[in-house]
Amino acid sequence: MRGNGPEAPAARTEITEAEIAAHWKEESLLPPPPEFVSQANMRDPAARERFSRERFPDCFREYADLLRWDRPFERVLASDRAPFYRWFVGGRLNASTNCIDRHLPLHADKPAILFQPEPAEAPPVAISYRELHRRVNEMAALLRDHCRLVAGDRVTIHMPMVPELPITMLACARLGLVHSVVFGGFSGEAAGRRAADSGSRVLVTSDAFWRNGVLVDHFAQAEGAVVAAREGGQEIDTVLIWSREPGRSLSRTPELPGRDTRIDDLLGRYSGRTVEPVAMDSEAPLFLMYTSGTTGRPKGCQHSTGGYLSYVAGTSRAILDLRPEDVYWCMADIGWITGHSYIVYGPLALGAATVLYEGLPTFPDPGRPWRIAKQLGVGVFHTSPTAIRQLRRLGPEEPRKYGCRFRLLVTVGEPIEPEAWRWYYREVGGGRAVVVDTWWQTETGGILCATWPALDAMKPGSTGPGAPGIHPVVLDEHGQEIPAGEGRAGNICIPHPWPGLMQTIWGDPDRYVEQYFRKYNRDPASKDWRAWPYFAGDGALLAADGYVRILGRVDDVINVAGHRLGAKEIESACLMVPEVAEAAVVPVADELKGRVPVVFVALHHGVTEPPGEVARRVVLAVETAIGKIARPKAVHVVPDMPKTRSGKILRRVLAGISNGSDTGDTSTLANPEVVERIVAQLQSTRPATKEDGPQETEGTP
Ligand code: WT7
């Protein structure tokens, strides 16, 4: 089944993010503050030895030992079906027991979740481990007895940032159901397409949430989800709706009796019920997380129970330095992998208190995050470069006003400019906190590169060396390793498996092999992991000291504010507008969001619609198919696309024009004259549409 596999290389976007990446100079090293080192989880240099190459794969036992196993595993790694791996084989465990039940003897009254609603006057809500246990059990009883779901069934969850989201995830985990959380900022249609792909007949959603001072009617998205799922061949027979305020309906969208049910109306029946957690095989899937790739169809990265949970617990301990006494805040949205791994599963597996903030970091003003952090006593803070840039721009002096005392500051999702890094370090951390820049991906489950906070010096603008047990390499196009310090960019690869690596692409194992392993595989018949380096799709430079600098995507993926969007997905949404004959989407550098999509469309002959009107419809089509997050910064209606003689659109040229950089060689174009016309058009006119109103970060990755 190769039909849905990646396109031939020639069909790919010919501009890479790496080509437009910021090229700041290499910075010097800063040692971690001694106050941090003296208290860190992983401060013994012997850790390097324990996680050395020679210790692979047994080093990861240390991570698995952080969990409670219902049945101990017999083997650390089974690689006989490489590149499909099984970790901690023979072991059985339940993710919800590991995140909740086992903390009860010591920490029942300690907060597990600290929920901060967006409205400025709303106080934070603490949910203790005991209460989390009760609520997860009741929801699990509902899913089992009311929805008749059994281990292995998939459940699509399309929700905003409220405690009921992790409660639903953990209730699924308790029963061995495979959750598929779709980012709340995606449209209902996007959620429905993912529900169809995963084969979910149950959709869990919410009525409303607060964002930027506005009460958003989220349930309005549900109908679109059901319709899109049906078009994809999947009937959603049950829609469960959480109420933002119990007992009240904040959505004005009508409910469909028989299909739609308020969870509040049902929960009473399950009050006080406990549900025996299902002991799952280590390699049973825990969840799917859809992400964009080089084709128009998002892929469902399938993550395992034992390997994934071990990996996020281990990295939360080693890199985020978390312990049960911690109050930890990651500002990402749970609807992205960062939220799964480092708001929900990692921190809760370690018994920490994890903060959940409903709204926009800059609401009602850019001092909000620092007031929340101070009030809740946050010691470890985690966000994205986009949020850092925005908070710095809107409130450069704010952090100092509130007297926060962070010991560790984490960043993830995009390269961070040294300037933004220094503001984070000096103004947010007061020079007393360690800053960790973590590089990883939806597919990788957890952090792959970062400085080890107590053992490595920090280098602004670079992520670190490999995380414990991870030994990254940078390969050239021929698969040759580029030696450290040579200054040549290549493709970052991980030459060995690790427990957090996804198991496969849901329903499409060929695409898993094709996308991530084919490029550098020398022998397709080999069943040895050494033959299958993992290709991440990012360009990178390896410095002499072993630190990695990530340059950006080498494929059609556009990283907007640390969120992945596929150029092809946006293009196919544009083509839904009947007047549009051709569409090309390119990443354009943006001061705040890193990259934003810019759309070029050519119209069918004879279309008389004004370009501004077509552009408006294109924006609407993108918002409907994907969500506001993919909203193009500009839509240019052009007379024709620059094309090769064989008729392929040269996006490289369009990206060059949009970024004000070189368009590269245009001599091979079939229609070189069109380049000048487009350049002239972009110079003379303002874009047909521009993002109006304040820019939204749509959460951090
Ligand atoms: C892509 C993965 C990791 C969770 C959030 C995004 C880019 C991620 C960094 C970083 C430079 C980074 C890469 C990667 N990226 N972290 N620290 N420095 N680039 O997960 O949506 O799967 O996106 O984000 O390009 O491939 P994702």
Side-chain angles (χ1 to χ4, degrees), residues 95-356:
S96 91
T97 349
N98 271 284
C99 291
I100 311 171
D101 305 46
R102 70 183 175 122
H103 306 313
L104 294 178
L106 288 176
H107 304 302
D109 296 310
K110 217 177 67 57
I113 294 174
L114 290 164
F115 174 55
Q116 176 60 60
E118 191 194 68
E121 67 286 359
V125 180
I127 298 174
S128 66
Y129 273 97
R130 188 197 314 283
E131 194 183 344
L132 183 63
H133 182 261
R134 177 183 64 77
R135 297 192 64 185
V136 166
N137 273 277
E138 291 174 359
M139 184 60 182
L142 188 158
L143 292 171
R144 185 189 62 187
D145 300 345
H146 177 77
C147 302
R148 311 222 163 277
L149 290 162
V150 297
D153 289 348
R154 279 80 56 210
V155 175
T156 296
I157 306 175
H158 187 215
M159 287 179 66
M161 284 287 283
V162 289
E164 290 73 20
L165 171 53
I167 287 171
T168 307
M169 292 161 68
L170 290 162
C172 288
R174 199 163 189 86
L175 299 171
L177 310 178
V178 180
H179 59 71
S180 169
V181 177
V182 178
F183 171 53
F186 276 141
S187 63
E189 199 179 303
R193 283 198 304 271
R194 287 158 176 78
D197 187 84
S198 65
S200 306
R201 64 170 182 82
V202 175
L203 171 71
V204 184
T205 185
S206 313
D207 61 351
F209 63 95
W210 288 99
R211 188 160 184 92
N212 211 13
V214 175
L215 187 67
V216 180
D217 183 347
H218 183 68
F219 182 62
Q221 301 292 330
E223 183 60 29
V226 173
V227 170
R230 188 176 298 139
E231 281 166 3
Q234 176 65 43
E235 203 54 44
I236 292 179
D237 60 30
T238 304
V239 177
L240 297 174
I241 312 157
W242 285 104
S243 304
R244 174 66 181 76
E245 287 177 25
R248 276 184 73 186
S249 175
L250 298 180
S251 158
R252 279 188 266 129
T253 310
E255 290 164 25
L256 187 70
R259 183 193 71 184
D260 303 344
T261 315
R262 289 268 164 179
I263 293 175
D264 282 345
D265 293 344
L266 291 174
L267 268 181
R269 284 188 221 165
Y270 305 100
S271 161
R273 195 80 82 77
T274 55
V275 170
E276 189 56 34
V278 181
M280 302 299 291
D281 284 339
S282 176
E283 62 258 39
L286 177 61
F287 67 87
L288 307 179
M289 169 62 63
Y290 282 84
T291 192
S292 301
T294 50
T295 69
R297 210 167 56 102
K299 35 193 185 184
C301 296
Q302 177 184 320
H303 285 286
S304 72
T305 308
Y308 171 82
L309 199 62
S310 301
Y311 196 71
V312 297
T315 47
S316 293
R317 186 180 175 281
I319 306 292
L320 308 184
D321 199 44
L322 295 185
R323 303 186 268 280
E325 4 1 318
D326 275 314
V327 177
Y328 159 77
W329 183 13
C330 172
M331 270 204 323
D333 193 291
I334 292 176
W336 304 102
I337 191 71
T338 306
H340 276 48
S341 301
Y342 300 119
I343 297 178
V344 181
Y345 285 112
L348 294 180
L350 297 181
T354 189
V355 176
L356 221 113

Side-chain angles (χ1 to χ4, degrees), residues 481-536:
E481 215 172 307
I482 300 176
E486 219 179 66
R488 234 172 356 118
N491 293 313
I492 185 164
C493 293
I494 311 298
H496 56 80
W498 66 96
L501 172 64
M502 67 180 152
Q503 298 176 291
T504 186
I505 300 291
W506 178 262
D508 202 348
D510 293 347
R511 195 168 169 201
Y512 166 81
V513 177
E514 207 51 50
Q515 191 85 49
Y516 305 100
F517 297 97
R518 187 69 80 207
K519 186 172 173 77
Y520 289 121
N521 169 249
R522 289 208 183 83
D523 173 12
S526 176
K527 294 294 160 212
D528 185 339
W529 59 263
R530 290 167 194 81
W532 298 94
Y534 171 79
F535 167 70

Side-chain angles (χ1 to χ4, degrees), residues 560-692:
V560 182
H563 300 314
R564 248 157 92 170
L565 297 172
K568 286 227 166 62
E569 274 167 80
I570 304 177
E571 286 164 7
S572 53
C574 298
L575 293 170
M576 303 296 281
V577 176
E579 290 82 9
V580 172
E582 287 175 308
V585 175
V586 297
V588 172
D590 179 87
E591 204 191 319
L592 282 180
K593 298 185 181 182
R595 302 281 179 279
V596 287
V598 163
V599 170
F600 289 82
V601 289
L603 308 184
H604 286 294
H605 286 298
V607 169
T608 51
E609 216 72 31
E613 176 54 23
V614 176
R616 200 187 56 79
R617 285 189 208 162
V618 166
V619 170
L620 191 68
V622 171
E623 287 185 2
T624 309
I626 304 169
K628 281 207 164 57
I629 185 183
R631 181 182 193 163
K633 176 160 180 163
V635 178
H636 301 292
V637 179
V638 294
D640 196 6
M641 298 285 183
K643 288 194 188 133
T644 61
R645 294 207 176 95
S646 60
K648 289 200 184 82
I649 300 175
L650 271 172
R651 294 191 190 80
R652 162 174 63 81
V653 172
L654 295 171
I657 299 173
S658 306
N659 284 292
S661 57
D662 194 8
T663 51
D665 182 10
T666 53
S667 63
T668 56
L669 288 186
N671 51 355
E673 71 290 348
V674 81
V675 176
E676 264 150 48
R677 288 178 65 188
I678 297 176
V679 170
Q681 179 183 341
L682 263 62
Q683 279 167 352
S684 68
T685 56
R686 269 169 36 92
T689 63
K690 246 208 152 110
E691 202 161 11
D692 30 47

Side-chain angles (χ1 to χ4, degrees), residues 338 413-415 437-442 538 550 553 559 564:
T338 306
E414 320 146 65
D437 179 349
T438 62
W439 170 80
W440 55 293
Q441 307 177 298
T442 305
D538 277 328
I550 300 294
R553 303 290 312 183
N559 188 330
R564 248 157 92 170

